[in-house]
Amino acid sequence: MTRRQTVDEADLTRRLGAMSLKEKVTLLTGGDAWTLTPVVAAGLASLALSDGPVGPRGTTFGDTAAPALLFPSPSSLAAAWDEDTAYEAGRLMGLKARAMGIHVLLAPTVNLHRSPLGGRHFECYSEDPHLTARTTVGFIKGVQSTGVAATVKHFIGNDSETERMTYDARIDEKTLRETYLPPFEAAVREAGAWVVMAAYNSVNGKSMTENGELLDGLLKEEWGFDGVVVSDWQATKSTEDSALAGLDVVMPGPDGPWGAALLSAVEEGRVPEAVIDDKVRRILRLAARVGALNGVEAAHTMEGNDSTAGAASVPKDVRSRIRDLAVRGSVLLRNDGLLPLRTDTLRKVALIGPNAVRFTAQGGGSAHVTPEHIVTPLEGLRRELGDDVEITVRQGVFPHATLLPLDGNTSTDPVTGEPGVRLEYRTADGTVVSDEHKDPASTWFPLLLADEVAELVVRTRLTLRESGVHRLSVLGPGHFTLQVPGDEPQTHEQLQDNDDIGSLVLYPPSHTFAFSADHGTTEIQVRFRPQRHLPHPITLLGLGYDTPRGTDDEELEAAVAAASDADAVVLMVGSDAHTESESVDRTTLALRGRQDELVERVCAANPRTAVVVNAGAPFLLPWADRPGALLWSWFPGQEGGDAIADILTGTEPGGRLPTTFPTTEADVPVLSTQPVDGTLDYTEGDLIGYRAYSASGTDPLFPFGHGLSYTTWDYEDLVITGDMERGLTVRVTIRNAGERRGREVVQAYLDPVGDEPRRLVGFAAVEASASASVIATITVPAQALTVWTPVGRTARSGPHRLRVGRSAADLRLTAAVPRP
């Protein structure tokens, strides 16, 4: 049963009437980077917004952010293929947001995996619009059940990052309607999303913040969206054009293209006041829903099967729930019988690989959050295996382009003695204007510099626990000088080559210095002359550090030796938050560095090797048939180490691939994300992902929907009722043919007719005990069986076949779709 609180529109009218025109216009631009301005006359409190897709961060960014909950990446959530799981993740995030005082969660990201090179691949759900839509609906309902608004983004065509601020996505209407719009449509019409974010890019010649055809015409009029359209941060470049197109809120603030300019436009009659009133009413409606209007309770939704329904706080077992979400999303790609590990026979285990030592729990960009603790694979294995099993850890290779941030265990402020660094602001002649302690020193910090500041100086006392070659990295645009006692100064200049402040903050330029030093304590100094001709006053400074380590050749030999001596090997390779990040697309699908060589050599040394890939997007796996087992963990969040250990030792891996894994780059239907002369043409139409593989007859390495269980399944019967005009009910009988309880995701695909590609139209996740049969019921709505034509949606011409099975390439039962 669902209970929803409706908004009193008459009350909103009274509150609107109490506001002056200036108050109305001021409300339409952020009061700062993360909040809207309160309006006392209307009883409106300040609305707080926060990223994001892996959990709410709060209204600060960087080293001042409060401890948060870090959930598995959205691609992992979609890999569960389960709307209820998405609902649970959304509800937990909503509860955490409410506890942090957040009204609007800037999630979910529902753009598609058009290309596996997309920088925010990990932050999006799937290459398929139907799987994306179902995950989206569950997630939004979960978030908004707590009285927190979900923000569906980025509307629309922001499926890659290269030139994202300016490129024009050319997408024909059929492709828009059938492939890229359905997740947004489901978010609005079915889930009832309260906020939509307009993207940076243009679509078919119009910037999305000025695209009246899509914002006003499609979103608000055709779909009936009654919520708020907010701009992506710094996306809005105009006053009248954006105000008249359907955009409601410009972020961030208080500066921007609206403000005084919009007030003048209204007073001079160039923008009707009725347009302003509509925007303000939408904000008041949102405020009523999230409890930011005096005297109005937040609009909660309770689901009868939700064990946290009605809860006002984050449940005490939230860490266990996040751990379970990571398990449900992890995908077992191959298994030659090695998994689950027989823990009773293990005496020595080798934990090898760059991602075993430097585990990646999340991708890079604005979605980044800082949890209190991230469970590492070593911690997880130690808990599962106990103290009697010897675990040897070897890095194997170092593929990372950046170092981990300098932390308070290594650095000490030479003035206060506290963990961290001393930051001095100096004029051109070296005069110290001011100084401050930075604690923790574990991450970069953006800085707004006064005109008189020409140089920043960082001083810190490093505690060096080993002798050898140490590495110190610097982040930020400008000229750096590193001074280590007894060494000649080292210098480096690195400049930002664009004016995108988002790129600066999210993907700053980096350089690594190396210096030799003995075990002990040494005070270093980093002088930084920031690049000052950028069109914004922000600069950024950060430091990273790495202890002495062997060469890749030395580390490889040590890894092979450890593998040879072990009863079993857990080998972890993958990527990191620098390789997969907002604001930049990847240029290759190959794993960085010598990771492929590491896998080949370790598997040759010990065939009892389980490879775990810790990455948010597909990579080439030329060695995929070498290990005894292959598990894809994604970026699994703060409890990822425990979740991986759970699966390796016997917990059922729940995931199925939400995207296709290619054998070679040449096989990928859409590889390049590089606009040509500012234009990104979607000439492939709807032939992305598995649809293109099916149409071309190309076999991928691992198909869309693929994923193994620790049991096996027989598909026994398929019954279809309904027809193409009314929708279908599909009942599939399957039997657990193995020796243990398991979970199966039954997938239904409409077979191609003519030039139309195969497409997913429904799925259902079921569980059954050993030898038991279960019926999976899949509901296929009529709209999923239609085609977009110049006159709108019409039923697809027949005859049609429906095929069901374990993946897009493993379809075991077929039946004709009944005609009307």
Side-chain angles (χ1 to χ4, degrees):
M1 179 180 176
T2 299
R3 174 175 60 84
R4 295 186 185 274
Q5 177 179 339
T6 59
V7 175
D8 184 346
E9 294 292 334
D11 180 56
L12 300 188
T13 300
R14 288 192 294 271
R15 294 174 188 266
L16 183 63
M19 297 173 63
S20 69
L21 178 59
K22 184 175 181 180
E23 286 175 323
K24 295 175 187 177
V25 171
T26 300
L27 178 62
L28 303 182
T29 295
D32 55 28
W34 302 106
T35 66
L36 298 188
T37 302
V39 183
V40 175
L44 173 64
S46 176
L47 288 167
L49 298 79
S50 169
D51 288 307
V54 293
R57 183 183 58 246
T59 57
T60 57
F61 196 32
D63 59 354
T64 60
L69 293 174
L70 173 57
F71 288 75
S73 66
S75 288
S76 173
L77 183 61
W81 286 62
D82 184 34
E83 197 169 323
D84 289 340
T85 296
Y87 178 91
E88 180 181 2
R91 182 164 179 83
L92 290 172
M93 287 192 200
L95 290 171
K96 179 62 174 177
R98 286 199 69 81
M100 298 173 76
I102 299 301
H103 302 100
V104 179
L105 183 69
L106 301 175
T109 304
V110 305
N111 303 105
L112 298 187
H113 296 169
R114 177 176 177 257
S115 166
L117 293 177
R120 296 175 91 167
H121 196 293
F122 66 92
E123 194 181 314
C124 307
Y125 290 135
S126 172
E127 69 187 22
D128 179 75
H130 182 73
L131 177 57
T132 297
R134 299 327 309 159
T135 309
T136 297
V137 167
F139 180 85
I140 290 174
K141 286 183 175 180
V143 172
Q144 294 185 172
S145 73
T146 68
V148 171
T151 305
V152 59
K153 63 183 187 181
H154 307 87
F155 189 71
I156 190 170
N158 186 188
D159 305 290
S160 53
E161 295 297 285
T162 304
E163 300 180 21
R164 64 174 179 161
M165 304 288 287
T166 57
Y167 75 69
D168 181 20
R170 299 290 177 87
I171 315 173
D172 66 77
E173 187 169 16
K174 184 175 186 296
T175 300
L176 265 176
R177 292 282 187 165
E178 293 188 356
T179 302
Y180 294 97
L181 285 172
F184 291 93
E185 185 175 4
V188 171
R189 287 184 154 177
E190 189 173 348
W194 295 341
V195 181
V196 169
M197 181 183 290
Y200 289 117
N201 55 279
S202 297
V203 172
N204 298 329
K206 269 288 187 181
S207 166
M208 279 310 305
T209 56
E210 301 173 359
N211 202 315
E213 181 179 351
L214 291 174
L215 294 183
D216 254 342
L218 177 73
L219 180 62
K220 292 184 175 180
E221 294 178 15
E222 182 178 331
W223 292 352
F225 177 63
D226 68 354
V228 172
V229 178
V230 61
S231 74
D232 205 339
W233 268 230
Q234 293 195 313
T236 314
K237 306 301 182 185
S238 67
T239 301
E240 294 171 38
D241 288 348
S242 56
L244 294 171
L247 187 68
D248 298 314
V249 172
V250 169
M251 291 296 289
D255 298 324
W258 283 8
L262 181 56
L263 181 61
S264 296
V266 176
E267 291 173 338
E268 295 168 12
R270 289 176 280 118
V271 173
E273 186 169 356
V275 169
I276 303 301
D277 286 349
D278 178 70
K279 300 177 191 302
V280 174
R281 176 179 290 274
R282 289 171 180 273
I283 295 172
L284 293 174
R285 186 181 296 126
L286 171 63
R289 287 166 167 164
V290 301
L293 280 184
N294 289 347
V296 181
E297 183 183 354
H300 298 273
T301 302
M302 293 199 301
E303 303 291 341
N305 62 353
D306 178 18
S307 61
T308 67
S313 60
V314 179
K316 294 181 179 180
D317 65 346
V318 66
R319 288 189 57 185
S320 176
R321 295 183 185 216
I322 293 174
R323 176 176 177 171
D324 186 50
L325 289 172
V327 169
R328 287 187 237 174
S330 297
V331 184
L332 185 61
L333 296 174
R334 282 191 66 253
N335 188 20
D336 290 342
L338 175 62
L339 297 182
L341 295 171
R342 292 187 55 189
T343 56
D344 58 329
T345 66
L346 298 178
R347 295 296 176 265
K348 291 184 178 181
V349 170
L351 177 60
I352 295 172
N355 289 64
V357 173
R358 184 168 154 178
F359 182 55
T360 304
Q362 62 186 318
S366 60
H368 180 93
V369 302
T370 305
E372 290 187 1
H373 180 67
I374 293 175
V375 179
T376 67
L378 177 59
E379 290 173 321
L381 283 173
R382 176 56 68 204
R383 271 194 278 270
E384 286 295 325
L385 300 179
D387 294 333
D388 293 337
V389 176
E390 178 184 338
I391 303 177
T392 301
V393 181
R394 292 288 183 266
Q395 182 168 274
V397 294
F398 186 88
H400 308 289
T402 60
L403 305 182
L404 289 176
L406 181 69
D407 62 39
N409 294 321
T410 304
S411 60
T412 304
D413 185 329
V415 175
T416 66
E418 300 172 271
V421 303
R422 174 64 39 175
L423 177 62
E424 298 176 349
Y425 301 81
R426 298 185 179 185
T427 62
D429 62 5
T431 302
V432 177
V433 177
S434 63
D435 69 333
E436 63 178 324
H437 171 76
K438 281 291 184 179
D439 180 31
S442 59
T443 187
W444 52 261
F445 30 90
L447 300 164
L448 181 62
L449 300 181
D451 291 339
E452 63 182 330
V453 174
E455 185 178 60
L456 301 172
V457 176
V458 178
R459 294 192 295 123
T460 189
R461 188 177 299 123
L462 292 181
T463 301
L464 308 179
R465 294 175 173 81
E466 300 177 49
S467 299
V469 177
H470 300 259
R471 294 167 179 83
L472 186 87
S473 64
V474 290
L475 299 177
H479 186 278
F480 288 89
T481 300
L482 170 65
Q483 180 65 66
V484 178
D487 290 356
E488 290 294 320
Q490 299 184 56
T491 63
H492 177 75
E493 184 173 79
Q494 54 196 23
L495 303 178
Q496 184 182 1
D497 59 4
N498 60 62
D499 61 1
D500 179 3
I501 189 173
S503 177
L504 169 65
V505 173
L506 302 173
Y507 202 78
S510 173
H511 175 73
T512 298
F513 294 109
F515 63 94
S516 296
D518 294 331
H519 171 276
T521 301
T522 187
E523 184 171 325
I524 67 165
Q525 181 183 94
V526 176
R527 294 167 53 196
F528 172 46
R529 294 201 305 272
Q531 180 181 0
R532 296 303 296 262
H533 63 270
L534 296 172
H536 51 74
I538 301 293
T539 192
L540 179 141
L541 173 62
L543 300 177
Y545 172 74
D546 191 26
T547 58
R549 50 180 161 81
T551 66
D552 272 4
D553 284 338
E554 293 168 339
E555 296 289 347
L556 271 166
E557 292 300 328
V560 170
S564 300
D565 191 44
D567 299 318
V569 178
V570 177
L571 174 55
M572 295 193 63
V573 295
S575 67
D576 55 30
H578 182 271
T579 304
E580 298 185 60
S581 177
E582 179 181 350
S583 84
V584 61
D585 294 320
R586 290 190 287 154
T587 58
T588 177
L589 293 180
L591 289 169
R592 289 184 62 94
R594 298 169 68 180
Q595 294 186 82
D596 288 339
E597 180 184 353
L598 174 66
V599 176
E600 295 276 8
R601 292 187 60 182
V602 167
C603 289
N606 191 333
R608 289 180 54 78
T609 295
V611 173
V612 180
V613 184
N614 174 206
F619 283 81
L620 299 181
L621 309 176
W623 39 260
D625 60 345
R626 306 289 199 279
L630 177 55
L631 176 69
W632 198 275
S633 74
W634 309 102
F635 294 145
Q638 67 180 58
E639 309 300 324
D642 275 336
I644 290 168
D646 289 343
I647 295 169
L648 294 176
T649 56
T651 301
E652 174 82 356
R656 304 294 185 266
L657 289 181
T659 200
T660 304
F661 280 35
T663 303
T664 69
E665 288 190 355
D667 295 338
V668 177
V670 180
L671 187 62
S672 176
T673 60
Q674 180 65 52
V676 178
D677 296 328
T679 298
L680 196 60
D681 279 315
Y682 285 48
T683 53
E684 73 282 353
D686 60 1
L687 290 179
I688 62 172
Y690 72 90
R691 296 178 179 183
Y693 282 91
S694 174
S696 68
T698 302
D699 292 328
L701 180 64
F702 295 111
F704 175 79
H706 172 72
L708 303 179
S709 168
Y710 281 152
T711 186
T712 56
W713 299 89
D714 291 337
Y715 279 62
E716 298 181 333
D717 190 36
L718 168 62
V719 177
I720 302 175
T721 57
D723 56 45
M724 294 291 290
E725 292 184 356
R726 294 178 295 144
L728 308 174
T729 298
V730 182
R731 294 179 176 85
V732 185
T733 303
I734 62 173
R735 184 176 67 86
N736 183 344
E739 299 178 351
R740 55 175 286 167
R741 185 175 182 82
R743 177 182 188 269
E744 177 70 328
V745 177
V746 180
Q747 304 164 36
Y749 296 82
L750 193 66
D751 230 20
V753 175
D755 294 332
E756 290 293 317
R758 175 177 297 162
R759 62 188 65 239
L760 178 74
V761 292
F763 58 89
V766 293
E767 295 185 7
S769 300
S771 302
S773 294
V774 63
I775 296 177
T777 301
I778 301 170
T779 300
V780 181
Q783 181 166 318
L785 305 171
T786 62
V787 62
W788 183 264
T789 71
V791 296
R793 289 194 177 274
T794 61
R796 296 179 184 273
S797 59
H800 294 272
R801 293 186 307 167
L802 195 77
R803 304 187 66 185
V804 299
R806 306 198 71 250
S807 75
D810 183 5
L811 300 174
R812 302 184 177 187
L813 299 173
T814 303
V817 177
R819 297 187 178 189

